[in-house]
Amino acid sequence: MPEGTILPSCRLCGGPGTVWFERPRQVLRCQSCTALYASTDQRVQEFTEAYYRGGVYSDYLADEPAIRRTAAARLRRLERRVAGRTLLDVGCATGFFLEAARARAWTATGVDVSRYATDVARGRGCDALTGSIDQAVPSGRRFAVVTLWDTIEHLDDVKATLAVARELLLPGGILALSTGDAGSVFARATGAHWRLLQDPTHRVFFTEQALRRLLERVGFRVAEVSRRGKWVSTAMILHHSSIGAAAHLARWCVRARVNPMVYVNLGDVMTVISVPA
Ligand SMILES: [Zn+2]
């Protein structure tokens, strides 16, 4: 970047940023809230079939058993916290979390900007809306739980989305989300090679401090922060590894249906439960 170029300010708080990495793309670090954010505003975010199959994911659909298992564990923890059984899953993708919720007697609605993913979800019988949370969710709907699993890092305006999520909660409701922890040991050790920096649709990377600050600014109180792992398929691990021929092997796993799941916890993902303050 030429000397004298003004760096874009923080996507979360508007604070000044300094260059943190130049490759694989320029990522800045906010001097005020400590979040990392991509400097370029890639507004064209097409979450088409290519994104879910062979892009960032080896084959998202083939990962269903692992995603459903993680979903069931998340739901069990939510059930201990709230009496209501209605939820809105923001960034619902192909609806695997919605299906897991339905299997546990929840009334679950999803919303996602991806036309492809929500078409798949509806084809599987899910109540999935296409669009953003502020535009697609009918006014007057309220939920005991709003979830955003690995979603906020993709958003244009995280603050606005969280503010809408707060409005959609029933009294006593909770917000549950997960996102990468840019301040974790694993993220700091891997630097510019950190796995969550590799998805070009990720725009912002939170530290716990940055996330807490943002949630408080939109009127939440953080009730719990944990660093849990998730179940992932062998194909997904291979797809994300940098081992030669791994992508080929990942495709073979999916085709041959030899795709066992393992529980992975690198300590670099935060799960945060918040309640309206
Ligand atoms: Zn900031």
Side-chain angles (χ1 to χ4, degrees):
M1 186 163 283
E3 207 176 319
T5 304
I6 296 169
L7 296 169
S9 53
C10 175
R11 290 172 184 278
L12 298 181
C13 75
T18 51
V19 176
W20 207 241
F21 306 120
E22 283 289 1
R23 286 186 184 77
R25 55 191 160 139
Q26 190 180 60
V27 171
L28 308 179
R29 184 176 192 272
C30 175
Q31 292 176 43
S32 176
C33 80
T34 75
L36 306 184
Y37 56 101
S39 62
T40 50
D41 192 15
Q42 296 175 318
R43 292 200 63 83
V44 183
Q45 303 291 352
E46 291 291 332
F47 295 97
T48 59
E49 183 168 8
Y51 176 80
Y52 291 96
R53 312 188 84 171
V56 165
Y57 297 100
S58 169
D59 186 336
Y60 189 83
L61 298 178
D63 238 39
E64 179 183 352
I67 296 167
R68 288 278 298 261
R69 190 162 176 181
T70 302
R74 286 171 165 168
L75 286 158
R76 282 195 296 275
R77 286 194 294 274
L78 294 174
E79 287 161 10
R80 289 198 285 269
R81 284 193 172 266
V82 281
R85 289 291 178 267
T86 52
L87 71 82
L88 175 70
D89 186 28
V90 182
C92 68
T94 52
F96 297 152
F97 184 77
L98 302 177
E99 287 186 71
R102 206 169 47 182
R104 297 181 65 86
W106 287 75
T107 301
T109 300
V111 60
D112 200 294
V113 294
S114 170
R115 163 70 58 188
Y116 161 75
T118 47
D119 278 348
V120 172
R122 282 188 292 271
R124 299 167 65 102
C126 294
D127 177 21
L129 308 164
T130 307
S132 59
I133 183 175
D134 55 326
Q135 288 166 358
V137 181
S139 61
R141 294 282 308 269
R142 294 291 181 271
F143 305 89
V145 178
V146 174
T147 56
L148 300 101
W149 304 121
D150 305 329
T151 295
I152 56 173
E153 58 272 27
H154 294 277
L155 298 175
D156 244 349
D157 191 341
V158 188
K159 191 177 163 198
T161 298
L162 294 177
V164 175
R166 191 183 182 285
E167 295 302 309
L168 292 172
L169 285 176
L170 285 165
I174 61 173
L175 176 84
L177 64 83
S178 62
T179 193
D181 178 4
S184 64
V185 171
F186 190 77
R188 284 183 284 129
T190 51
H193 301 287
W194 184 37
R195 61 195 185 96
L196 296 178
L197 287 165
Q198 311 313 311
D199 181 335
T201 65
H202 289 176
R203 300 157 172 221
V204 62
F205 308 91
F206 295 83
T207 59
E208 182 175 334
Q209 181 189 336
L211 185 52
R212 280 180 177 274
R213 193 163 140 176
L214 182 68
L215 284 163
E216 284 163 13
R217 275 177 66 192
V218 291
F220 283 103
R221 179 177 64 78
V222 174
E224 183 193 309
V225 180
S226 57
R227 283 164 184 78
R228 299 179 188 279
K230 60 178 171 183
W231 291 91
V232 282
S233 72
T234 306
M236 188 68 82
I237 294 168
L238 287 167
H239 187 72
H240 283 274
S241 78
S242 47
I243 306 164
H248 180 75
L249 205 54
R251 286 192 294 276
W252 178 85
C253 286
V254 171
R255 271 200 317 273
R257 296 175 189 270
V258 181
N259 196 12
M261 64 177 97
V262 287
Y263 184 78
V264 177
N265 189 357
L266 299 170
D268 62 348
V269 173
M270 298 178 275
T271 301
V272 182
I273 305 289
S274 308
V275 294

